[in-house]
């Protein structure tokens, strides 16, 4: 399941695996789950969104549903939405229309129904709020019975121990809090996610222990604003990070990636955060949205910081953390933005030459203060977006890496099916040609060439050699090369798509929810009688008659009964041969006895 947010700017880099948008559930004996990417989906994931989708898929799978790729064969559609920008909501509307045309039961989850429950498009449709994902099975089953369910009331935070199906078995997306403390005038997510709610340090550390024991190799902390963590429960981000680091294997087999943080709160902990980013098991990468290079625009946005404070964050981290990579976001054409304001933004991006920048055009969200402000003409907004994109794409952030030997952590296969995708400690994407057996390991790689979005390398040792420390680290680890990945949800991000179009890029969003593709769920006709498909991110699941056992690999879920059936068949074949042999022997014995009896009687 993926976020359906749209990206503005250059196309995705070669080898980048984009997120899926829709999934269906179909009733087959051996159900398979397939993710279908929505045209509106930019690629990488939104922080909370992807995690929410994984949790919902996990619960459905644990309850006996199977995920499939074909929406038409799904018993029900489950759409997980994001409310950051209009394109996302438009994509949701399109999917709802397709679902109604296909006459499939439908459940819509995520920020859109939570923040805009009275939308006409949601009339007569089951909806589930961002803090009700632990009841997704209940909602799905009632919807399949023909009932309309609406669960939107907030309660305690969902448990971190809910069943979960990871899109990538090597990566755990761990939400550390929901909601935020900000009040940005353009943000709709606050309406959906609410005020800050942080998980306890002990709960998060316990989850880290669990996922490491399950073989996870990367942990992405997800949040609307990582820096604000703990302010509601009397703790803070540095305390949490140090507690998590204490659980990471000393051999660096599992790495930690810190999610998006806004400048106001990280300013209080800059040196402590820098110390954490220097740790060998933590990626030296951070996503810090600036949104504009003009103080007057930042004031209109109610961002609660100025450009100099943003500079302080960037300059301090780059000074204290060797090889530090920083990604950022820009909104073009915010109401009241003048030519001079935009010029200041362009100058800021030119000065720092960030390798990852998510460039977004302003979209008014109903109910937000910015929606009532005087708009910048759309033609001007588009021209500014194009100009900034051209400036951004003129940078060569990886120039000079050729010949370097760097350690990379490999966790996925590129979309070209040829390269594996690895990341340096600074989270620079490195594509290598190597056997899939090294997925989930770290290796030393020699950089052979660089592109605009990635570096290319060749593996020069085995994972075992790296783990023993026999190979050198990047000799230029202190260089200021920018990373190829970022968390992009303005309000919460861990994994998200970026304007930079990198494998794990950033998307300018303000939502921490799991905004992923539609979920298509296919259920066994013998038990449920029909199928259903999911949200903007969809998941296909089907219900089995026997207790299924989840297996997540390649987005495929197979029941343990399939394996048992195969074993039973093999046993039956052997028994058949024994029976036939026995019958044949008995027949021959009978013939011989009859012959002997007949001979005796005749004599």
């Amino acid at each position: 399941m993926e976020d359906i947010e749209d990206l503005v700017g250059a196309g995705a880099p070669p080898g980048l695996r984009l997120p899926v948008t829709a999934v269906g559930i179909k009733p087959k004996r051996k159900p398979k789950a397939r993710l279908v990417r929505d045209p509106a989906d930019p690629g990488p994931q939104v922080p909370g969104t992807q995690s929410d989708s994984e949790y919902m898929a996990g619960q459905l799978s644990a309850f006996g549903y199977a995920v499939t790729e074909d929406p038409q064969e799904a018993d029900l559609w489950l759409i997980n939405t994001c409310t950051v920008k209009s394109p996302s909501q438009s994509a949701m509307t399109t999917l709802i229309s397709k679902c109604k045309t296909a006459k499939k039961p439908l459940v819509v989850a995520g920020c859109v129904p939570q923040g805009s429950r009275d939308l006409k498009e949601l009339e007569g449709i089951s909806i589930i709020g961002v803090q009700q994902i632990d009841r997704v099975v209940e909602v799905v089953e009632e919807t399949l019975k023909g009932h309309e369910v609406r669960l939107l009331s907030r309660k305690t935070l969902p448990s971190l121990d809910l069943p979960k199906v990871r899109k990538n078995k090597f990566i755990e997306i761990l939400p550390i809090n929901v909601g935020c403390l900000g009040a940005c005038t353009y943000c709709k997510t606050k309406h959906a996610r609410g005020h800050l709610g942080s998980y306890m340090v002990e709960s998060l550390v316990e989850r880290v222990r669990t996922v490491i024991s399950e073989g996870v190799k990367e942990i992405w902390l997800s949040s609307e604003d990582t820096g604000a963590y703990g302010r509601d429960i009397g703790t803070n981000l540095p305390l949490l990070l140090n507690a998590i680091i204490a659980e990471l294997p000393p051999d660096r087999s599992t790495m930690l990636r810190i999610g998006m943080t806004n400048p106001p709160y990280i300013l209080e902990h800059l040196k402590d955060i820098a110390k954490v980013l220097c740790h060998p098991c933590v990626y030296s990468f951070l996503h810090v949205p600036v949104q504009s290079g003009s103080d007057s625009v930042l004031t209109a946005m109610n961002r609660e910081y100025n450009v100099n404070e943003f500079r302080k964050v960037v300059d301090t981290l780059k000074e204290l953390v060797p090889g530090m990579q920083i990604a950022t976001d820009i909104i073009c054409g915010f109401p009241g933005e003048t030519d001079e304001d935009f010029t200041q933004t362009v100058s800021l991006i030119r000065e720092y030459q960030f390798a990852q920048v998510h460039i977004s055009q302003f979209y008014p969200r109903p109910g937000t203060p910015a929606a009532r402000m005087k708009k910048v003409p759309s033609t001007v907004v588009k021209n500014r977006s194009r100009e900034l994109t051209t400036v951004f794409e003129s940078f060569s952030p990886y120039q000079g890496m050729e010949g370097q030997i760097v350690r990379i952590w490999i966790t996925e296969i590129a979309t070209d099916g040829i390269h594996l995708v690895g990341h340096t400690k600074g989270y620079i994407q490195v594509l290598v040609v190597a056997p899939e057996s090294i997925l989930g390991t770290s290796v030393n790689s020699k950089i052979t060439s660089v592109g605009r979005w990635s570096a290319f390398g060749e593996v020069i040792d085995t994972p075992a050699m790296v783990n023993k420390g026999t190979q050198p680290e990047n000799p230029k680890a202190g260089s200021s090369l920018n990373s190829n990945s970022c968390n992009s949800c303005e309000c919460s991000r861990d994994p998200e798509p970026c304007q930079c179009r990198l494998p794990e890029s950033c998307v300018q969003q303000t939502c921490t929810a799991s905004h992923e593709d539609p979920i298509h769920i296919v259920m066994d006709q013998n038990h449920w009688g029909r199928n259903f498909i999911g949200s903007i991110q969809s998941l296909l699941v089907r219900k089995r008659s026997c207790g299924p056992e989840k297996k997540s690999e390649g987005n495929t879920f197979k029941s343990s009964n399939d394996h048992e059936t195969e074993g039973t068949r093999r046993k039956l074949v052997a028994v058949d041969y024994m029976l036939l042999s026995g019958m044949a022997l008995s027949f021959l014995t009978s013939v011989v006895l009859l012959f002997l009896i007949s001979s005796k009687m005749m004599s």
Side-chain angles (χ1 to χ4, degrees), residues 236-535:
N236 58 50
L237 182 61
L239 289 174
L240 171 64
L241 295 177
N242 284 305
I244 291 177
I245 287 174
E247 302 297 328
L248 300 178
D251 63 357
R252 304 176 72 188
S253 58
T254 299
M255 296 290 287
L256 177 68
R257 173 178 157 180
I258 303 174
M260 187 281 292
T261 181
N262 287 311
Y265 304 112
I266 191 178
L267 276 167
E268 300 180 19
H269 307 292
L270 266 183
K271 291 187 177 180
D272 291 332
I273 297 299
K275 185 176 180 180
V276 168
L277 291 167
C278 287
H279 192 280
C281 296
V282 181
Y283 284 120
S284 305
F285 168 81
L286 198 61
H287 175 215
V288 187
V290 63
Q291 305 304 0
S292 175
S294 166
D295 284 342
S296 62
V297 173
L298 291 177
T299 299
M301 291 178 172
N302 196 29
R303 290 289 290 167
E304 301 181 336
Y305 60 86
N306 56 42
V307 176
N308 283 335
E309 289 174 325
F310 172 78
R311 289 177 180 275
K312 181 179 179 180
V313 171
V314 176
D315 294 341
T316 301
L317 293 180
K318 282 186 170 290
E319 176 187 355
L320 299 179
V321 184
M324 182 67 197
Q325 310 301 315
I326 293 178
T328 195
D329 298 342
I330 296 292
I331 296 177
C332 289
F334 189 82
E337 182 185 65
T338 65
D339 289 340
E340 175 57 28
D341 293 329
F342 179 67
T343 298
Q344 293 176 23
T345 297
V346 173
S347 297
L348 182 71
I349 299 303
R350 283 188 188 278
E351 177 182 349
Y352 285 98
Q353 297 194 16
F354 300 103
Q356 298 178 51
V357 179
H358 177 254
I359 302 170
S360 172
Q361 298 177 28
F362 171 74
Y363 291 99
R365 306 300 293 125
T368 62
R372 299 188 294 272
M373 298 178 182
K374 185 177 180 180
K375 310 297 185 296
V376 174
S378 58
T379 54
V380 174
V381 176
K382 292 178 181 178
N383 289 336
R384 288 176 181 174
S385 176
R386 293 191 188 101
E387 179 181 343
L388 187 57
T389 298
T390 299
V391 170
F392 163 72
E393 292 181 344
S394 68
F395 306 150
S396 300
Y398 310 117
Q399 198 69 37
M401 285 189 70
E402 297 92 335
Q404 290 186 27
I405 295 177
V406 296
R407 183 172 183 176
I408 60 175
W409 284 261
I410 301 176
T411 56
E412 63 181 321
I413 303 172
T415 49
D416 62 5
I418 299 174
H419 294 86
L420 299 184
V421 180
H423 292 92
T424 67
K425 188 177 187 298
Y427 218 72
I428 297 172
Q429 178 176 272
V430 178
L431 303 178
V432 298
V433 177
E436 293 184 20
S437 59
I438 68 172
L439 282 170
T441 68
S442 63
V443 300
N444 282 325
S445 173
K446 182 177 181 180
I447 303 302
T448 56
S449 63
V450 297
R452 175 60 185 83
W453 313 108
S454 312
F456 294 83
E458 58 182 18
V459 176
I460 60 175
D461 60 14
T462 64
M465 294 172 66
V466 174
N467 292 336
K468 292 179 180 178
T470 58
Q471 295 296 332
E473 288 294 326
N474 180 359
K476 298 184 181 181
S479 64
S480 61
L481 292 171
N482 293 316
S483 162
N484 269 341
S485 150
C486 61
N487 316 24
S488 119
C489 203
E490 156 69 57
C491 51
S492 89
R493 289 237 213 296
D494 202 276
E496 303 185 21
C498 243
Q499 153 87 8
C500 45
R501 307 294 191 171
L502 299 172
E504 331 273 337
S505 354
C506 317
V507 173
Q508 161 54 37
Q509 301 186 8
T510 341
C511 217
T512 277
S514 263
H515 310 98
E516 307 165 14
D517 301 310
I519 298 174
H520 306 259
I521 303 177
V522 178
M523 308 188 312
D524 193 323
Q525 299 291 341
N526 294 330
H527 293 266
W528 302 94
R530 43 183 181 167
N531 303 320
F532 73 90
I533 175 174
S535 92

Side-chain angles (χ1 to χ4, degrees), residues 530-568:
R530 43 183 181 167
N531 303 320
F532 73 90
I533 175 174
S535 92
I536 290 193
Q537 198 157 4
S538 31
L539 162 75
L540 306 180
V541 182
R542 91 175 165 91
K543 178 67 178 174
R544 302 271 315 201
S545 56
C546 301
E549 176 179 301
K550 173 185 65 180
K551 179 180 180 181
S552 173
E553 185 169 345
N555 295 326
T556 300
F557 303 88
K558 179 180 291 188
S559 169
S560 59
N561 293 320
D562 296 331
H563 302 290
E564 294 172 2
T565 300
E566 293 174 5
T568 302

Side-chain angles (χ1 to χ4, degrees), residues 185-212:
T185 56
Y186 57 83
C187 179
K188 183 73 172 178
T189 301
K190 183 68 175 282
H191 295 187
R193 292 279 164 174
H195 199 65
L196 181 69
S198 303
Y199 285 95
M200 300 298 292
V201 172
E202 297 76 12
S203 299
L204 293 166
V205 169
E206 181 58 35
R207 180 62 183 173
V208 167
R209 293 193 191 104
T210 299
V211 301
I212 290 176

